[in-house]
Amino acid sequence: MVGALNSKHLTYLKTKKFKILVGVLLLFGIGLFYIINLYNKPLKNIKKSSADINISAQQLLDDYQKDEILANKKYINNIIQISGEISNIKIDNGNSIIVLKDINGESSVMCHMLAEENLSILKLKKNSQIIVKGMCTGYLLDVILVRCILVNS
Amino acid sequence: MKKIYILLFSLFFVNQMFSQKKYLAKDGYISFFSHSLVEDIKADNNQVLSIIDKETGEIAIQLLMRSFLFKKALMQQHFNESYVESHKYPKAKFNGLIVNFEDLNDKNSNTEIKGTLSVHGKEKEISIIAKVIINEDEINISGDFMVEVADFNIKIPAIVRNNIAKIIKVTFQIKHKPYSK
């Protein structure tokens, strides 16, 4: 009868051919699953990642002002953890920026904070020391860090 | 004698006020959007640097390509490594003029901004319509325009040609505050 399992079907299930077929489909399924996951992978979780580089805001600024191209090679696309003194905190449109000033000049490190830090940032005071962890994207008038979080020392 | 000093001081003070010629933004917003049948791609840059000279209406904008944030890590990686090659061309720039800057006011806030856009090492003259709102303590520009990806030598591999639009929409909103050095 159509639709009913008969002995012919049962014998096929035991054959090597079938087992190989299952194996291939399984591999294909795992591969597909892996590719979809990779494709949809969100940006690196800054909170969970450890910093590639640990320095002071002043050191970062000095490196950039000395040689921008070299500094880009060293810092761009890396998770940087910097310590420094808050010179300004700006909150606008739900986005907060903490500015760490350059002792020697007009420049600064601008840390664009993740929205999840907003509540903690309200508690921060100017001139206090903080540690920030984020991604360096380069230098315009200031060194720019994005996707930053506060680090409790 | 005292009166002269007061007069000189107030003239100096007034002159300082009027010499607030430059307006600066360090956290301007520019995003781009590509729509295709396969998928929509969007990225935001909230670290745009922009300076407007109030005297001349000139505007200069700079941004870091790496500051464009995508939702998906792989897209951001491809954007930087293959499409715009941000290791070779880390910045995009625009130098131009806000046309009829002196005539702008509450009722008349739409105008043309024209100039040279430089992306991926290639320059292109563009002219766009923007809304420019001028207050004593803020100059706010906003608008959107279309850009052809090919104009900037951005090569999209055949395999993803259906994922990325040939013409993408760029949206901007930049608030400038007075800046004096």
Side-chain angles (χ1 to χ4, degrees):
Chain A
M1 282 274 113
V2 178
L5 270 183
N6 57 34
S7 61
K8 238 197 205 161
H9 289 135
L10 288 170
T11 1
Y12 178 70
L13 286 175
K14 288 188 191 148
T15 62
K16 207 173 188 178
K17 244 192 204 172
F18 182 68
K19 288 184 185 155
I20 293 176
L21 181 67
V22 171
V24 168
L25 281 174
L26 213 65
L27 273 172
F28 182 72
I30 292 172
L32 198 67
F33 181 74
Y34 175 74
I35 289 174
I36 291 176
N37 255 17
L38 188 67
Y39 180 75
N40 285 325
K41 191 174 68 156
L43 296 181
K44 210 176 212 182
N45 187 320
I46 303 277
K47 212 161 212 148
K48 293 190 185 149
S49 317
S50 58
D52 303 307
I53 298 170
N54 238 303
I55 50 167
S56 70
Q58 193 59 49
Q59 179 68 56
L60 183 61
L61 271 159
D62 289 340
D63 281 353
Y64 260 101
Q65 277 157 350
K66 193 162 60 180
D67 187 335
E68 187 179 331
I69 297 177
L70 199 67
N72 274 345
K73 282 208 176 91
K74 189 171 170 191
Y75 297 116
I76 283 196
N77 226 26
N78 282 323
I79 297 181
I80 316 258
Q81 182 161 308
I82 60 167
S83 55
E85 184 184 305
I86 300 177
S87 102
N88 197 16
I89 302 172
K90 206 173 131 179
I91 304 183
D92 184 34
N93 259 8
N95 293 320
S96 28
I97 304 170
I98 298 179
V99 180
L100 305 176
K101 199 114 188 189
D102 182 2
I103 303 172
N104 302 323
E106 286 295 315
S107 195
S108 69
V109 180
M110 290 185 67
C111 310
H112 292 251
M113 314 299 292
L114 287 174
E116 64 203 47
E117 298 288 331
N118 284 350
L119 243 80
S120 314
I121 290 169
L122 287 171
K123 301 185 191 142
L124 293 176
K125 291 202 174 74
K126 259 192 196 182
N127 299 327
S128 55
Q129 288 285 327
I130 52 158
I131 302 176
V132 168
K133 187 165 64 161
M135 282 285 222
C136 180
T137 62
Y139 184 78
L140 292 172
L141 286 181
D142 320 87
V143 179
I144 294 176
L145 261 64
V146 299
R147 303 187 67 232
C148 299
I149 57 159
L150 294 168
V151 176
N152 302 317
S153 46
Chain B
M1 199 55 184
K2 221 183 188 174
K3 279 194 187 148
I4 294 177
Y5 277 126
I6 294 173
L7 183 66
L8 277 172
F9 178 77
S10 36
L11 274 176
F12 174 73
F13 183 67
V14 166
N15 186 49
Q16 278 295 90
M17 276 174 66
F18 282 126
S19 65
Q20 297 277 44
K21 288 181 266 172
K22 298 222 159 74
Y23 283 66
L24 170 76
K26 286 187 183 178
D27 54 353
Y29 170 76
I30 293 185
S31 76
F32 64 80
F33 177 73
S34 149
H35 169 72
S36 75
L37 290 171
V38 179
E39 65 180 337
D40 287 343
I41 300 173
K42 183 173 186 280
D44 295 333
N45 190 324
N46 278 292
Q47 291 83 35
V48 178
L49 170 68
S50 176
I51 304 178
I52 294 179
D53 186 335
K54 199 173 184 181
E55 301 256 295
T56 60
E58 286 172 321
I59 180 168
I61 301 177
Q62 265 194 35
L63 58 82
L64 293 165
M65 297 310 273
R66 282 224 167 257
S67 280
F68 275 108
L69 298 179
F70 296 69
K71 280 223 160 53
K72 297 183 186 165
L74 213 62
M75 268 187 200
Q76 184 152 330
Q77 192 184 326
H78 285 163
F79 174 76
N80 283 296
E81 287 175 15
S82 317
Y83 304 148
V84 300
E85 298 180 282
S86 53
H87 48 283
K88 286 193 208 158
Y89 312 101
K91 301 176 190 175
K93 299 181 190 178
F94 176 78
N95 283 297
L97 186 70
I98 302 173
V99 176
N100 290 334
F101 190 71
E102 331 77 55
D103 299 333
L104 291 165
N105 56 42
D106 279 350
K107 296 193 186 70
N108 174 28
S109 58
N110 288 320
T111 188
E112 180 193 354
I113 300 182
K114 60 180 183 186
T116 313
L117 176 60
S118 166
V119 176
H120 192 234
K122 263 213 117 186
E123 291 187 345
K124 180 160 198 257
E125 295 298 312
I126 63 168
S127 164
I128 64 177
I129 302 291
K131 194 169 184 133
V132 180
I133 298 176
I134 304 174
N135 295 317
E136 198 49 52
D137 60 345
E138 192 175 281
I139 298 181
N140 198 332
I141 67 169
S142 60
D144 55 64
F145 57 98
M146 308 302 272
V147 174
E148 255 187 76
V149 168
D151 282 345
F152 298 99
N153 259 3
I154 294 173
K155 302 204 169 65
I156 300 173
I159 211 170
V160 286
R161 205 151 278 164
N162 290 325
N163 294 45
I164 301 166
K166 292 206 172 74
I167 300 180
I168 62 171
K169 182 177 181 185
V170 177
T171 307
F172 62 93
Q173 154 113 232
I174 307 175
K175 297 183 191 166
H176 305 71
K177 297 266 157 148
Y179 170 71
S180 52
K181 222 190 160 173

